[in-house]
Amino acid sequence: MDNISKDMHDFGWLEEQVKAVKTNNFFVIAGPVSKSLRKRIETSPIGVPSSYKSFVIQFGHSKLYCSRQLYMVEVFASPHEVKSKDGEDLLQFGKTDESPAYFKTTDLRDDGAEIPVYEWNPEDGLHKAFPGFEKWLLESCRIARRQFKKKRWAEIIKGPEPFSHEELKIIEARRLFHWKVVGIAEDGDLLLDITNRSTMHLSFLSVGVSGKKVGKGGVYVSVADIDPGEHKVRKVSCYKRDEQPRELELFHEPDPLPETRDSYWEFRPLEDGIEWLKRH
């Protein structure tokens, strides 16, 4: 991985990446912590590894490697007490986009030495995944970094281009698309009544979705055939394999930023929306 050495003493490899990246919010770093908080961390009786404490002192609560508004690695400034399905006491100190990460309370030590990191997934359940926090962080960040191909990584380093005039027109138009949930179809799809109050066509409309099981996500609704001043009811499939439709909450996504434009299908060509309608 770029700029990562095997010496994890001060996490300089991550600090170099944070300094190099010009894309806003790709890394969200809350540290270094204040002197008073540093002292509380250093003198905490919780027997977590000193490497974890050192990381929190330097970076605080950290969210790393943003991809489509989701962070692929996250480290908490304070571990959370949880229980496994078998009733085992755990401390969750972080997570990746694939799995939460834990220390077992029975492994905690007073000398700050590394202790195993456990992860959970549906296939393996709770299992020992790494020998310690440093290894977990290094490998998790390696995996996250590899998700970005060379061209995309160069764009992230450079920072996004400002919105073009045409993109600004799309942003203004999407503010004038109004929608509301008007029912649930027999197959579990939600029914959205969408009105185009703008003066132009858009290919898609981004709609946020949240639920107890699915967390926060989103759907992309084709609106390519909704003329200015017109409204249509559209069926929208929203995580119906994972969540009951009545348990879902739909919300308006905020305006895109230059660094989040890839997450908004409004910027796709109008032809993409028309083709989507033909297939569905």
PDB file of all heavy atoms in Angstrom, residues 140-169:
ATOM      1  N   SER A 140      -6.805  -3.494   7.108  1.00  0.00           N
ATOM      2  CA  SER A 140      -8.086  -2.905   6.738  1.00  0.00           C
ATOM      3  C   SER A 140      -7.878  -1.721   5.813  1.00  0.00           C
ATOM      4  O   SER A 140      -8.619  -1.528   4.837  1.00  0.00           O
ATOM      5  CB  SER A 140      -8.849  -2.469   7.996  1.00  0.00           C
ATOM      6  OG  SER A 140      -9.149  -3.580   8.812  1.00  0.00           O
ATOM      7  N   CYS A 141      -6.867  -0.925   6.095  1.00  0.00           N
ATOM      8  CA  CYS A 141      -6.577   0.230   5.240  1.00  0.00           C
ATOM      9  C   CYS A 141      -5.987  -0.202   3.899  1.00  0.00           C
ATOM     10  O   CYS A 141      -6.263   0.425   2.865  1.00  0.00           O
ATOM     11  CB  CYS A 141      -5.633   1.193   5.961  1.00  0.00           C
ATOM     12  SG  CYS A 141      -6.416   2.069   7.340  1.00  0.00           S
ATOM     13  N   ARG A 142      -5.207  -1.258   3.897  1.00  0.00           N
ATOM     14  CA  ARG A 142      -4.699  -1.786   2.622  1.00  0.00           C
ATOM     15  C   ARG A 142      -5.861  -2.195   1.720  1.00  0.00           C
ATOM     16  O   ARG A 142      -5.900  -1.866   0.536  1.00  0.00           O
ATOM     17  CB  ARG A 142      -3.802  -3.008   2.866  1.00  0.00           C
ATOM     18  CG  ARG A 142      -2.397  -2.704   3.334  1.00  0.00           C
ATOM     19  CD  ARG A 142      -1.573  -3.987   3.308  1.00  0.00           C
ATOM     20  NE  ARG A 142      -0.302  -3.829   3.976  1.00  0.00           N
ATOM     21  CZ  ARG A 142       0.784  -3.308   3.415  1.00  0.00           C
ATOM     22  NH1 ARG A 142       0.733  -2.886   2.167  1.00  0.00           N
ATOM     23  NH2 ARG A 142       1.910  -3.210   4.091  1.00  0.00           N
ATOM     24  N   ILE A 143      -6.801  -2.934   2.292  1.00  0.00           N
ATOM     25  CA  ILE A 143      -7.943  -3.409   1.518  1.00  0.00           C
ATOM     26  C   ILE A 143      -8.761  -2.225   0.997  1.00  0.00           C
ATOM     27  O   ILE A 143      -9.168  -2.191  -0.164  1.00  0.00           O
ATOM     28  CB  ILE A 143      -8.810  -4.348   2.369  1.00  0.00           C
ATOM     29  CG1 ILE A 143      -8.052  -5.650   2.652  1.00  0.00           C
ATOM     30  CG2 ILE A 143     -10.142  -4.646   1.680  1.00  0.00           C
ATOM     31  CD1 ILE A 143      -8.719  -6.543   3.685  1.00  0.00           C
ATOM     32  N   ALA A 144      -8.984  -1.235   1.872  1.00  0.00           N
ATOM     33  CA  ALA A 144      -9.759  -0.060   1.463  1.00  0.00           C
ATOM     34  C   ALA A 144      -9.047   0.700   0.351  1.00  0.00           C
ATOM     35  O   ALA A 144      -9.660   1.080  -0.655  1.00  0.00           O
ATOM     36  CB  ALA A 144      -9.986   0.849   2.664  1.00  0.00           C
ATOM     37  N   ARG A 145      -7.748   0.894   0.502  1.00  0.00           N
ATOM     38  CA  ARG A 145      -6.978   1.646  -0.497  1.00  0.00           C
ATOM     39  C   ARG A 145      -7.010   0.959  -1.858  1.00  0.00           C
ATOM     40  O   ARG A 145      -7.084   1.624  -2.911  1.00  0.00           O
ATOM     41  CB  ARG A 145      -5.533   1.809  -0.005  1.00  0.00           C
ATOM     42  CG  ARG A 145      -4.533   2.291  -1.036  1.00  0.00           C
ATOM     43  CD  ARG A 145      -4.846   3.701  -1.534  1.00  0.00           C
ATOM     44  NE  ARG A 145      -3.886   4.077  -2.546  1.00  0.00           N
ATOM     45  CZ  ARG A 145      -3.981   3.781  -3.830  1.00  0.00           C
ATOM     46  NH1 ARG A 145      -5.027   3.093  -4.275  1.00  0.00           N
ATOM     47  NH2 ARG A 145      -3.052   4.164  -4.688  1.00  0.00           N
ATOM     48  N   ARG A 146      -6.987  -0.367  -1.872  1.00  0.00           N
ATOM     49  CA  ARG A 146      -6.963  -1.102  -3.136  1.00  0.00           C
ATOM     50  C   ARG A 146      -8.274  -1.012  -3.902  1.00  0.00           C
ATOM     51  O   ARG A 146      -8.323  -1.389  -5.068  1.00  0.00           O
ATOM     52  CB  ARG A 146      -6.617  -2.567  -2.862  1.00  0.00           C
ATOM     53  CG  ARG A 146      -5.146  -2.785  -2.496  1.00  0.00           C
ATOM     54  CD  ARG A 146      -4.911  -4.201  -2.040  1.00  0.00           C
ATOM     55  NE  ARG A 146      -3.521  -4.408  -1.635  1.00  0.00           N
ATOM     56  CZ  ARG A 146      -3.088  -5.447  -0.932  1.00  0.00           C
ATOM     57  NH1 ARG A 146      -3.966  -6.383  -0.532  1.00  0.00           N
ATOM     58  NH2 ARG A 146      -1.817  -5.568  -0.607  1.00  0.00           N
ATOM     59  N   GLN A 147      -9.322  -0.533  -3.266  1.00  0.00           N
ATOM     60  CA  GLN A 147     -10.588  -0.381  -3.968  1.00  0.00           C
ATOM     61  C   GLN A 147     -10.561   0.762  -4.975  1.00  0.00           C
ATOM     62  O   GLN A 147     -11.419   0.852  -5.846  1.00  0.00           O
ATOM     63  CB  GLN A 147     -11.731  -0.137  -2.963  1.00  0.00           C
ATOM     64  CG  GLN A 147     -11.853  -1.190  -1.880  1.00  0.00           C
ATOM     65  CD  GLN A 147     -11.940  -2.598  -2.426  1.00  0.00           C
ATOM     66  OE1 GLN A 147     -12.791  -2.882  -3.275  1.00  0.00           O
ATOM     67  NE2 GLN A 147     -11.070  -3.472  -1.962  1.00  0.00           N
ATOM     68  N   PHE A 148      -9.557   1.626  -4.847  1.00  0.00           N
ATOM     69  CA  PHE A 148      -9.462   2.790  -5.724  1.00  0.00           C
ATOM     70  C   PHE A 148      -8.368   2.548  -6.756  1.00  0.00           C
ATOM     71  O   PHE A 148      -7.189   2.429  -6.413  1.00  0.00           O
ATOM     72  CB  PHE A 148      -9.149   4.050  -4.904  1.00  0.00           C
ATOM     73  CG  PHE A 148     -10.164   4.327  -3.831  1.00  0.00           C
ATOM     74  CD1 PHE A 148      -9.961   3.870  -2.535  1.00  0.00           C
ATOM     75  CD2 PHE A 148     -11.335   5.011  -4.120  1.00  0.00           C
ATOM     76  CE1 PHE A 148     -10.892   4.112  -1.541  1.00  0.00           C
ATOM     77  CE2 PHE A 148     -12.271   5.253  -3.134  1.00  0.00           C
ATOM     78  CZ  PHE A 148     -12.055   4.803  -1.842  1.00  0.00           C
ATOM     79  N   LYS A 149      -8.763   2.472  -8.017  1.00  0.00           N
ATOM     80  CA  LYS A 149      -7.797   2.254  -9.083  1.00  0.00           C
ATOM     81  C   LYS A 149      -6.893   3.473  -9.247  1.00  0.00           C
ATOM     82  O   LYS A 149      -7.178   4.549  -8.719  1.00  0.00           O
ATOM     83  CB  LYS A 149      -8.524   1.924 -10.382  1.00  0.00           C
ATOM     84  CG  LYS A 149      -9.291   0.603 -10.307  1.00  0.00           C
ATOM     85  CD  LYS A 149      -9.957   0.269 -11.631  1.00  0.00           C
ATOM     86  CE  LYS A 149     -10.691  -1.063 -11.544  1.00  0.00           C
ATOM     87  NZ  LYS A 149     -11.360  -1.428 -12.818  1.00  0.00           N
ATOM     88  N   LYS A 150      -5.822   3.296  -9.991  1.00  0.00           N
ATOM     89  CA  LYS A 150      -4.781   4.317 -10.088  1.00  0.00           C
ATOM     90  C   LYS A 150      -5.332   5.675 -10.509  1.00  0.00           C
ATOM     91  O   LYS A 150      -5.020   6.710  -9.908  1.00  0.00           O
ATOM     92  CB  LYS A 150      -3.702   3.856 -11.075  1.00  0.00           C
ATOM     93  CG  LYS A 150      -2.508   4.795 -11.159  1.00  0.00           C
ATOM     94  CD  LYS A 150      -1.443   4.222 -12.079  1.00  0.00           C
ATOM     95  CE  LYS A 150      -0.245   5.156 -12.138  1.00  0.00           C
ATOM     96  NZ  LYS A 150       0.826   4.612 -13.029  1.00  0.00           N
ATOM     97  N   LYS A 151      -6.187   5.690 -11.531  1.00  0.00           N
ATOM     98  CA  LYS A 151      -6.743   6.953 -12.016  1.00  0.00           C
ATOM     99  C   LYS A 151      -7.618   7.603 -10.958  1.00  0.00           C
ATOM    100  O   LYS A 151      -7.528   8.820 -10.726  1.00  0.00           O
ATOM    101  CB  LYS A 151      -7.542   6.718 -13.299  1.00  0.00           C
ATOM    102  CG  LYS A 151      -8.164   7.976 -13.868  1.00  0.00           C
ATOM    103  CD  LYS A 151      -8.975   7.673 -15.132  1.00  0.00           C
ATOM    104  CE  LYS A 151      -9.638   8.938 -15.663  1.00  0.00           C
ATOM    105  NZ  LYS A 151     -10.471   8.656 -16.863  1.00  0.00           N
ATOM    106  N   ARG A 152      -8.466   6.791 -10.311  1.00  0.00           N
ATOM    107  CA  ARG A 152      -9.358   7.334  -9.296  1.00  0.00           C
ATOM    108  C   ARG A 152      -8.575   7.855  -8.102  1.00  0.00           C
ATOM    109  O   ARG A 152      -8.910   8.902  -7.538  1.00  0.00           O
ATOM    110  CB  ARG A 152     -10.362   6.261  -8.862  1.00  0.00           C
ATOM    111  CG  ARG A 152     -11.325   6.712  -7.773  1.00  0.00           C
ATOM    112  CD  ARG A 152     -12.161   7.876  -8.205  1.00  0.00           C
ATOM    113  NE  ARG A 152     -13.041   8.341  -7.154  1.00  0.00           N
ATOM    114  CZ  ARG A 152     -13.343   9.604  -6.934  1.00  0.00           C
ATOM    115  NH1 ARG A 152     -12.827  10.560  -7.700  1.00  0.00           N
ATOM    116  NH2 ARG A 152     -14.160   9.949  -5.953  1.00  0.00           N
ATOM    117  N   TRP A 153      -7.519   7.143  -7.701  1.00  0.00           N
ATOM    118  CA  TRP A 153      -6.709   7.586  -6.571  1.00  0.00           C
ATOM    119  C   TRP A 153      -6.026   8.918  -6.892  1.00  0.00           C
ATOM    120  O   TRP A 153      -5.951   9.804  -6.023  1.00  0.00           O
ATOM    121  CB  TRP A 153      -5.680   6.531  -6.198  1.00  0.00           C
ATOM    122  CG  TRP A 153      -4.892   6.886  -4.968  1.00  0.00           C
ATOM    123  CD1 TRP A 153      -3.587   7.232  -4.899  1.00  0.00           C
ATOM    124  CD2 TRP A 153      -5.384   6.926  -3.625  1.00  0.00           C
ATOM    125  NE1 TRP A 153      -3.225   7.492  -3.604  1.00  0.00           N
ATOM    126  CE2 TRP A 153      -4.300   7.306  -2.800  1.00  0.00           C
ATOM    127  CE3 TRP A 153      -6.621   6.669  -3.047  1.00  0.00           C
ATOM    128  CZ2 TRP A 153      -4.432   7.450  -1.416  1.00  0.00           C
ATOM    129  CZ3 TRP A 153      -6.755   6.819  -1.661  1.00  0.00           C
ATOM    130  CH2 TRP A 153      -5.666   7.201  -0.877  1.00  0.00           C
ATOM    131  N   ALA A 154      -5.568   9.085  -8.104  1.00  0.00           N
ATOM    132  CA  ALA A 154      -4.958  10.354  -8.510  1.00  0.00           C
ATOM    133  C   ALA A 154      -5.967  11.492  -8.413  1.00  0.00           C
ATOM    134  O   ALA A 154      -5.615  12.617  -8.008  1.00  0.00           O
ATOM    135  CB  ALA A 154      -4.415  10.246  -9.932  1.00  0.00           C
ATOM    136  N   GLU A 155      -7.221  11.211  -8.771  1.00  0.00           N
ATOM    137  CA  GLU A 155      -8.272  12.224  -8.661  1.00  0.00           C
ATOM    138  C   GLU A 155      -8.538  12.582  -7.208  1.00  0.00           C
ATOM    139  O   GLU A 155      -8.776  13.752  -6.880  1.00  0.00           O
ATOM    140  CB  GLU A 155      -9.551  11.716  -9.324  1.00  0.00           C
ATOM    141  CG  GLU A 155      -9.449  11.547 -10.839  1.00  0.00           C
ATOM    142  CD  GLU A 155     -10.669  10.850 -11.436  1.00  0.00           C
ATOM    143  OE1 GLU A 155     -11.482  10.293 -10.663  1.00  0.00           O
ATOM    144  OE2 GLU A 155     -10.798  10.866 -12.670  1.00  0.00           O
ATOM    145  N   ILE A 156      -8.496  11.580  -6.338  1.00  0.00           N
ATOM    146  CA  ILE A 156      -8.722  11.819  -4.914  1.00  0.00           C
ATOM    147  C   ILE A 156      -7.597  12.666  -4.335  1.00  0.00           C
ATOM    148  O   ILE A 156      -7.831  13.587  -3.550  1.00  0.00           O
ATOM    149  CB  ILE A 156      -8.866  10.484  -4.166  1.00  0.00           C
ATOM    150  CG1 ILE A 156     -10.175   9.793  -4.576  1.00  0.00           C
ATOM    151  CG2 ILE A 156      -8.817  10.678  -2.651  1.00  0.00           C
ATOM    152  CD1 ILE A 156     -10.282   8.362  -4.126  1.00  0.00           C
ATOM    153  N   ILE A 157      -6.375  12.346  -4.708  1.00  0.00           N
ATOM    154  CA  ILE A 157      -5.224  13.131  -4.248  1.00  0.00           C
ATOM    155  C   ILE A 157      -5.356  14.581  -4.701  1.00  0.00           C
ATOM    156  O   ILE A 157      -5.155  15.525  -3.922  1.00  0.00           O
ATOM    157  CB  ILE A 157      -3.916  12.531  -4.786  1.00  0.00           C
ATOM    158  CG1 ILE A 157      -3.658  11.136  -4.170  1.00  0.00           C
ATOM    159  CG2 ILE A 157      -2.736  13.467  -4.520  1.00  0.00           C
ATOM    160  CD1 ILE A 157      -3.308  11.154  -2.708  1.00  0.00           C
ATOM    161  N   LYS A 158      -5.700  14.781  -5.953  1.00  0.00           N
ATOM    162  CA  LYS A 158      -5.784  16.127  -6.529  1.00  0.00           C
ATOM    163  C   LYS A 158      -6.953  16.915  -5.966  1.00  0.00           C
ATOM    164  O   LYS A 158      -6.871  18.133  -5.784  1.00  0.00           O
ATOM    165  CB  LYS A 158      -5.918  16.027  -8.047  1.00  0.00           C
ATOM    166  CG  LYS A 158      -5.995  17.363  -8.759  1.00  0.00           C
ATOM    167  CD  LYS A 158      -6.156  17.166 -10.256  1.00  0.00           C
ATOM    168  CE  LYS A 158      -6.307  18.494 -10.986  1.00  0.00           C
ATOM    169  NZ  LYS A 158      -6.512  18.299 -12.452  1.00  0.00           N
ATOM    170  N   GLY A 159      -8.046  16.256  -5.700  1.00  0.00           N
ATOM    171  CA  GLY A 159      -9.267  16.935  -5.289  1.00  0.00           C
ATOM    172  C   GLY A 159     -10.193  17.118  -6.472  1.00  0.00           C
ATOM    173  O   GLY A 159      -9.754  17.153  -7.622  1.00  0.00           O
ATOM    174  N   PRO A 160     -11.486  17.216  -6.243  1.00  0.00           N
ATOM    175  CA  PRO A 160     -12.454  17.264  -7.338  1.00  0.00           C
ATOM    176  C   PRO A 160     -12.441  18.593  -8.080  1.00  0.00           C
ATOM    177  O   PRO A 160     -12.106  19.638  -7.519  1.00  0.00           O
ATOM    178  CB  PRO A 160     -13.795  17.060  -6.623  1.00  0.00           C
ATOM    179  CG  PRO A 160     -13.570  17.661  -5.271  1.00  0.00           C
ATOM    180  CD  PRO A 160     -12.139  17.330  -4.922  1.00  0.00           C
ATOM    181  N   GLU A 161     -12.854  18.538  -9.341  1.00  0.00           N
ATOM    182  CA  GLU A 161     -13.042  19.756 -10.123  1.00  0.00           C
ATOM    183  C   GLU A 161     -14.313  20.465  -9.646  1.00  0.00           C
ATOM    184  O   GLU A 161     -15.266  19.818  -9.222  1.00  0.00           O
ATOM    185  CB  GLU A 161     -13.173  19.418 -11.603  1.00  0.00           C
ATOM    186  CG  GLU A 161     -11.917  18.819 -12.226  1.00  0.00           C
ATOM    187  CD  GLU A 161     -10.792  19.842 -12.340  1.00  0.00           C
ATOM    188  OE1 GLU A 161     -11.116  21.054 -12.430  1.00  0.00           O
ATOM    189  OE2 GLU A 161      -9.618  19.435 -12.333  1.00  0.00           O
ATOM    190  N   PRO A 162     -14.347  21.797  -9.719  1.00  0.00           N
ATOM    191  CA  PRO A 162     -15.589  22.507  -9.374  1.00  0.00           C
ATOM    192  C   PRO A 162     -16.717  22.088 -10.310  1.00  0.00           C
ATOM    193  O   PRO A 162     -16.473  21.585 -11.413  1.00  0.00           O
ATOM    194  CB  PRO A 162     -15.227  23.979  -9.574  1.00  0.00           C
ATOM    195  CG  PRO A 162     -13.732  24.027  -9.569  1.00  0.00           C
ATOM    196  CD  PRO A 162     -13.266  22.704 -10.109  1.00  0.00           C
ATOM    197  N   PHE A 163     -17.943  22.295  -9.879  1.00  0.00           N
ATOM    198  CA  PHE A 163     -19.074  21.982 -10.737  1.00  0.00           C
ATOM    199  C   PHE A 163     -19.049  22.860 -11.991  1.00  0.00           C
ATOM    200  O   PHE A 163     -18.743  24.048 -11.920  1.00  0.00           O
ATOM    201  CB  PHE A 163     -20.400  22.211  -9.997  1.00  0.00           C
ATOM    202  CG  PHE A 163     -20.738  21.164  -8.986  1.00  0.00           C
ATOM    203  CD1 PHE A 163     -21.005  21.504  -7.671  1.00  0.00           C
ATOM    204  CD2 PHE A 163     -20.800  19.822  -9.343  1.00  0.00           C
ATOM    205  CE1 PHE A 163     -21.327  20.542  -6.732  1.00  0.00           C
ATOM    206  CE2 PHE A 163     -21.124  18.847  -8.415  1.00  0.00           C
ATOM    207  CZ  PHE A 163     -21.384  19.207  -7.105  1.00  0.00           C
ATOM    208  N   SER A 164     -19.385  22.239 -13.100  1.00  0.00           N
ATOM    209  CA  SER A 164     -19.526  22.986 -14.344  1.00  0.00           C
ATOM    210  C   SER A 164     -20.862  23.732 -14.350  1.00  0.00           C
ATOM    211  O   SER A 164     -21.724  23.509 -13.485  1.00  0.00           O
ATOM    212  CB  SER A 164     -19.471  22.030 -15.538  1.00  0.00           C
ATOM    213  OG  SER A 164     -20.610  21.182 -15.545  1.00  0.00           O
ATOM    214  N   HIS A 165     -21.050  24.594 -15.339  1.00  0.00           N
ATOM    215  CA  HIS A 165     -22.316  25.313 -15.465  1.00  0.00           C
ATOM    216  C   HIS A 165     -23.475  24.336 -15.632  1.00  0.00           C
ATOM    217  O   HIS A 165     -24.545  24.519 -15.026  1.00  0.00           O
ATOM    218  CB  HIS A 165     -22.253  26.273 -16.658  1.00  0.00           C
ATOM    219  CG  HIS A 165     -23.522  27.013 -16.909  1.00  0.00           C
ATOM    220  ND1 HIS A 165     -24.014  27.966 -16.029  1.00  0.00           N
ATOM    221  CD2 HIS A 165     -24.432  26.923 -17.930  1.00  0.00           C
ATOM    222  CE1 HIS A 165     -25.159  28.437 -16.502  1.00  0.00           C
ATOM    223  NE2 HIS A 165     -25.435  27.833 -17.639  1.00  0.00           N
ATOM    224  N   GLU A 166     -23.277  23.301 -16.452  1.00  0.00           N
ATOM    225  CA  GLU A 166     -24.335  22.316 -16.663  1.00  0.00           C
ATOM    226  C   GLU A 166     -24.643  21.542 -15.388  1.00  0.00           C
ATOM    227  O   GLU A 166     -25.803  21.242 -15.096  1.00  0.00           O
ATOM    228  CB  GLU A 166     -23.938  21.355 -17.789  1.00  0.00           C
ATOM    229  CG  GLU A 166     -23.935  21.979 -19.162  1.00  0.00           C
ATOM    230  CD  GLU A 166     -25.314  22.532 -19.532  1.00  0.00           C
ATOM    231  OE1 GLU A 166     -26.314  21.836 -19.273  1.00  0.00           O
ATOM    232  OE2 GLU A 166     -25.375  23.650 -20.071  1.00  0.00           O
ATOM    233  N   GLU A 167     -23.617  21.208 -14.630  1.00  0.00           N
ATOM    234  CA  GLU A 167     -23.839  20.497 -13.368  1.00  0.00           C
ATOM    235  C   GLU A 167     -24.600  21.369 -12.369  1.00  0.00           C
ATOM    236  O   GLU A 167     -25.465  20.880 -11.638  1.00  0.00           O
ATOM    237  CB  GLU A 167     -22.507  20.042 -12.780  1.00  0.00           C
ATOM    238  CG  GLU A 167     -21.868  18.880 -13.531  1.00  0.00           C
ATOM    239  CD  GLU A 167     -20.501  18.524 -12.994  1.00  0.00           C
ATOM    240  OE1 GLU A 167     -19.745  19.445 -12.609  1.00  0.00           O
ATOM    241  OE2 GLU A 167     -20.154  17.330 -12.961  1.00  0.00           O
ATOM    242  N   LEU A 168     -24.291  22.647 -12.329  1.00  0.00           N
ATOM    243  CA  LEU A 168     -25.009  23.557 -11.441  1.00  0.00           C
ATOM    244  C   LEU A 168     -26.486  23.643 -11.824  1.00  0.00           C
ATOM    245  O   LEU A 168     -27.365  23.741 -10.952  1.00  0.00           O
ATOM    246  CB  LEU A 168     -24.370  24.943 -11.465  1.00  0.00           C
ATOM    247  CG  LEU A 168     -22.989  25.056 -10.802  1.00  0.00           C
ATOM    248  CD1 LEU A 168     -22.385  26.429 -11.050  1.00  0.00           C
ATOM    249  CD2 LEU A 168     -23.082  24.781  -9.295  1.00  0.00           C
ATOM    250  N   LYS A 169     -26.780  23.581 -13.105  1.00  0.00           N
ATOM    251  CA  LYS A 169     -28.174  23.577 -13.556  1.00  0.00           C
ATOM    252  C   LYS A 169     -28.889  22.312 -13.083  1.00  0.00           C
ATOM    253  O   LYS A 169     -30.060  22.355 -12.686  1.00  0.00           O
ATOM    254  CB  LYS A 169     -28.227  23.684 -15.083  1.00  0.00           C
ATOM    255  CG  LYS A 169     -27.869  25.046 -15.634  1.00  0.00           C
ATOM    256  CD  LYS A 169     -27.788  25.047 -17.158  1.00  0.00           C
ATOM    257  CE  LYS A 169     -29.108  24.663 -17.809  1.00  0.00           C
ATOM    258  NZ  LYS A 169     -29.010  24.712 -19.284  1.00  0.00           N
TER     259      LYS A 169
END
